[in-house]
């Protein structure tokens, strides 16, 4: 498995099924999964799914401007990652959202072979190409997981939980 960033032991990420090693995932992480393979209206569906998870986990309705901003950041990151999978990776297969008391992780599984990257240099006035720049700016970290001999990848991003 490879990622775009190196992580210390105890990383919040998940090992693929059958990896044969103990998972570094904290036991308290709660996951929600949405299949997107044959769906239509994928981006709004993904945002609605994420919004419901945030509501169930107490992020929404927000009790302060900071909490509202944190929830909106999550919804924007979900939109950007799912849109990128639609435009550049043969479509998303699955959206996963996991949370601990300290962070929320968004994962989008797709069939694509490409490598997402922020547009460099970033030019704010030009249309398109801002998705991964936005993800990079809003998230604690993000990366790509690949499993050898399995097509596609998982693009993930982690955001801090609101205080």
């Amino acid at each position: 498995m490879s990622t775009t960033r190196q992580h210390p032991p105890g990383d919040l990420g998940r090992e693929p099924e059958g990896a044969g090693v103990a998972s570094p995932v904290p036991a308290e992480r709660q996951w929600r999964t949405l299949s997107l393979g044959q769906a239509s209206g994928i981006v709004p569906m993904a945002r609605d799914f994420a919004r419901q998870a945030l509501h169930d986990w107490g992020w929404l309705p927000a009790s302060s401007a900071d909490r509202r901003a944190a929830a909106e950041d999550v919804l924007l990151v979900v939109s950007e990652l799912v849109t990128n999978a639609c435009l550049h990776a043969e479509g998303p297969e699955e959206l996963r959202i996991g949370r601990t008391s300290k962070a929320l992780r968004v994962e989008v599984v797709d069939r694509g072979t490409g490598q997402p990257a922020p547009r460099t240099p970033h030019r704010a006035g030009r249309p398109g190409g801002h998705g991964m720049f936005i993800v990079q700016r809003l998230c604690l970290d993000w990366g790509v997981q690949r499993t050898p001999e399995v097509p596609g990848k998982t693009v993930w991003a982690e955001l801090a939980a609101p205080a």
Side-chain angles (χ1 to χ4, degrees):
M1 173 173 50
S2 65
T3 94
T4 58
R5 300 179 193 274
Q6 298 297 318
H7 295 282
D11 168 59
L12 296 174
R14 298 190 308 173
E15 290 294 322
E17 295 297 323
V21 296
S23 174
V25 176
E28 72 273 8
R29 187 175 300 263
Q30 296 177 357
W31 286 98
R32 301 286 173 96
T33 303
L34 175 66
S35 178
L36 298 169
Q38 301 300 321
S40 60
I42 290 174
V43 176
M45 180 190 310
R47 281 181 64 92
D48 289 345
F49 176 79
R51 186 177 290 108
Q52 183 62 51
L54 294 175
H55 180 77
D56 293 347
W57 291 333
W59 287 42
L60 291 173
S63 58
S64 69
D66 287 344
R67 292 181 72 79
R68 188 171 24 265
E72 288 300 321
D73 287 351
V74 170
L75 297 175
L76 181 55
V77 168
V78 165
S79 292
E80 293 299 338
L81 293 182
V82 172
T83 297
N84 271 0
C86 290
L87 295 175
H88 307 294
E90 302 176 36
E93 290 290 315
E94 188 173 72
L95 168 64
R96 300 179 199 134
I97 302 174
R99 72 145 181 137
T100 65
S101 60
K102 296 181 182 179
L104 186 131
R105 182 170 173 117
V106 176
E107 297 181 351
V108 176
V109 179
D110 66 46
R111 300 178 293 262
T113 59
Q115 184 75 12
R119 179 182 279 177
T120 307
H122 177 71
R123 296 186 183 181
R126 299 194 60 166
H130 303 290
M132 293 313 295
F133 180 79
I134 291 168
V135 169
Q136 181 179 27
R137 295 292 299 247
L138 293 178
C139 295
L140 298 169
D141 201 5
W142 71 275
V144 177
Q145 289 179 319
R146 294 185 190 275
T147 303
E149 301 179 25
V150 175
K153 63 187 172 299
T154 301
V155 181
W156 59 268
E158 291 180 349
L159 298 98

